[in-house]
Amino acid sequence: MKLHALLAASVAALTLALPARAADPDLLVLDWAGFEVEGLYQAYKDKNGDGPTYTFFGSDDEAFQKVASGFKSDVTHPCSQMVSKYREAGLIEPWDISKIPEFANIDPKFLNSPVFQDDGGVWFIPTDWGVTAVAYNTDEVPVEDVASLQVFADPKYEGRVSLPNSSDDVWALAYLATGVTDWTNISDEQFTAAADWLRKVHPNVRAYWNDPAEMSQIMASGEVLIAWSWNDGVAYLKADNYPVGFQREAKEGSSTWFCGYVNMKDGPGKEDKAYDFINSWLRPDAAPALIENIGYGLSNTPAMAAMDPAVVADAGLGAINAPILPQVPNDNALRERQLAEFEKIKAGF
């Protein structure tokens, strides 16, 4: 990054829910803060003279509520487990994959669900993937302490822990910590055990971070020593030479996820430019821009295969020898139950 990472991230955080860059008026992208990376939309800019206009959100639930309440975007960037909600609400329409040449190079595992493609068409274009794991201050936290996810409940770290203000990621952590690696079939007993564990952790939590910039800042300040983090928060800290480790191989494991773009119904811009945007994202040249700026992987298999394995591993995207909980689509009723319980836990109940 040419700017210090935390400074750039701070700017992104301050522009949540606002157009960070009012550019091409013919394409409005509702996106995660921090994804306005020029290398990702470079081909779009080359063709259209400017990048798209962005409006940002900090969580999947926030984005969905925004569009469900009437906000109009042309494309939106949910993660996989949210796509069914967009479909059920009638907010999106299928993509015409004949207009997306690199669609054939998307890793098939990212499309392996009728939620994403069925007889009605392709409803979701996977673009980026990453992990959620333990970020920690390597100067102050011994590596043996982060060998288990139980570190989050360790009284030794009272007030020095941060968790995402993201129901999906928090429950992925809680399920892993209580021995669950598949959230597509959760029993009442498993739910209760995970909720009890989160309540045990809550007194240790200094802050529930809303975006990677916030997480990076509170770790860099020294307030927090351990966080449940995405790749980009760690990438920001590394870029600023902060002593950070990323433990993906705790004995209970870590989580993976993937996100992409949906084509919003009745978007205010020009449909052809939505395809220009997706095609820019999926081109092989986008892979290094994505990894180097944010620390995430591209869904384009040949593009990732061409990357230096050392760079991929340094971003926290390499293979591991530990359990993994994939954040794949799960039951919407369970997601709502998790969200409601998480709000109670944060409030101290």
Side-chain angles (χ1 to χ4, degrees), residues 59 61 163-171 209 230 327 342:
S59 75
D61 291 298
L163 300 183
N165 193 19
S166 159
S167 178
D168 288 323
D169 283 296
V170 163
W171 283 92
W209 56 265
W230 302 331
Q327 294 187 37
F342 183 39

Side-chain angles (χ1 to χ4, degrees), residues 169-185:
D169 283 296
V170 163
W171 283 92
L173 169 61
Y175 288 135
L176 282 165
T178 52
V180 175
T181 57
D182 179 359
W183 71 4
T184 62
N185 186 22

Side-chain angles (χ1 to χ4, degrees), residues 35 77 106 110 124-129 258-261 278 281-282 290 297-300:
F35 272 85
H77 193 174
I106 293 176
F110 296 131
F124 175 65
I125 303 296
T127 51
D128 53 292
W129 57 275
F258 61 98
C259 309
Y261 289 90
I278 287 296
W281 245 96
L282 289 177
L290 182 60
L298 190 67
S299 62
N300 185 318

Side-chain angles (χ1 to χ4, degrees), residues 78-318:
C79 292
S80 64
Q81 61 270 27
M82 290 294 290
V83 177
S84 60
K85 294 190 71 170
Y86 284 80
R87 288 192 61 179
E88 290 170 8
L91 294 169
I92 61 176
E93 59 189 15
W95 291 96
D96 181 352
I97 60 172
S98 71
K99 298 179 179 179
I100 307 174
E102 291 291 337
F103 181 82
N105 286 325
I106 293 176
D107 190 327
K109 71 183 178 185
F110 296 131
L111 289 162
N112 187 25
S113 170
V115 172
F116 308 144
Q117 59 178 342
D118 58 15
D119 292 342
V122 174
W123 301 86
F124 175 65
I125 303 296
T127 51
D128 53 292
W129 57 275
V131 305
T132 314
V134 184
Y136 66 101
N137 182 320
T138 55
D139 283 350
E140 298 193 47
V141 179
V143 67
E144 55 268 25
D145 283 9
V146 293
S148 168
L149 296 181
Q150 303 312 319
V151 68
F152 287 101
D154 188 339
K156 174 181 176 181
Y157 294 106
E158 182 177 359
R160 309 302 298 278
V161 163
S162 185
L163 300 183
N165 193 19
S166 159
S167 178
D168 288 323
D169 283 296
V170 163
W171 283 92
L173 169 61
Y175 288 135
L176 282 165
T178 52
V180 175
T181 57
D182 179 359
W183 71 4
T184 62
N185 186 22
I186 296 294
S187 67
D188 286 342
E189 291 76 16
Q190 290 170 325
F191 178 88
T192 299
D196 289 346
W197 188 84
L198 286 174
R199 286 187 167 88
K200 184 179 177 182
V201 169
H202 179 69
N204 281 3
V205 177
R206 175 79 171 214
Y208 291 93
W209 56 265
N210 290 298
D211 61 81
E214 181 183 357
M215 191 282 293
S216 302
Q217 289 162 356
I218 58 178
M219 283 199 75
S221 73
E223 294 177 67
V224 162
L225 299 179
I226 300 169
W228 189 235
S229 175
W230 302 331
N231 304 67
D232 48 355
V234 175
Y236 296 155
L237 289 164
K238 284 184 175 180
D240 278 2
N241 297 314
Y242 179 84
V244 62
F246 198 36
Q247 170 61 287
R248 295 179 59 204
E249 294 185 300
K251 68 178 183 179
E252 301 90 347
S254 55
S255 185
T256 60
W257 46 262
F258 61 98
C259 309
Y261 289 90
V262 290
N263 188 8
M264 304 302 293
K265 191 180 292 183
D266 302 321
K270 294 183 178 179
E271 183 79 355
D272 286 349
K273 291 192 175 183
Y275 288 92
D276 290 341
F277 179 74
I278 287 296
N279 287 327
S280 182
W281 245 96
L282 289 177
R283 77 194 197 285
D285 285 351
L290 182 60
I291 290 181
E292 291 167 10
N293 285 275
I294 314 179
Y296 296 150
L298 190 67
S299 62
N300 185 318
T301 302
M304 288 300 295
M307 291 293 301
D308 181 344
V311 172
V312 173
D314 185 63
L317 299 172

Side-chain angles (χ1 to χ4, degrees), residues 21 23-24 27 36-52 54 273 276-281 283:
R21 199 169 164 281
D24 188 340
L27 188 73
E36 71 287 13
V37 174
E38 186 163 341
L40 298 176
Y41 63 77
Q42 186 63 57
Y44 180 98
K45 182 178 179 181
D46 291 345
K47 181 176 180 179
N48 295 291
D50 207 345
Y54 284 91
K273 291 192 175 183
D276 290 341
F277 179 74
I278 287 296
N279 287 327
S280 182
W281 245 96
R283 77 194 197 285

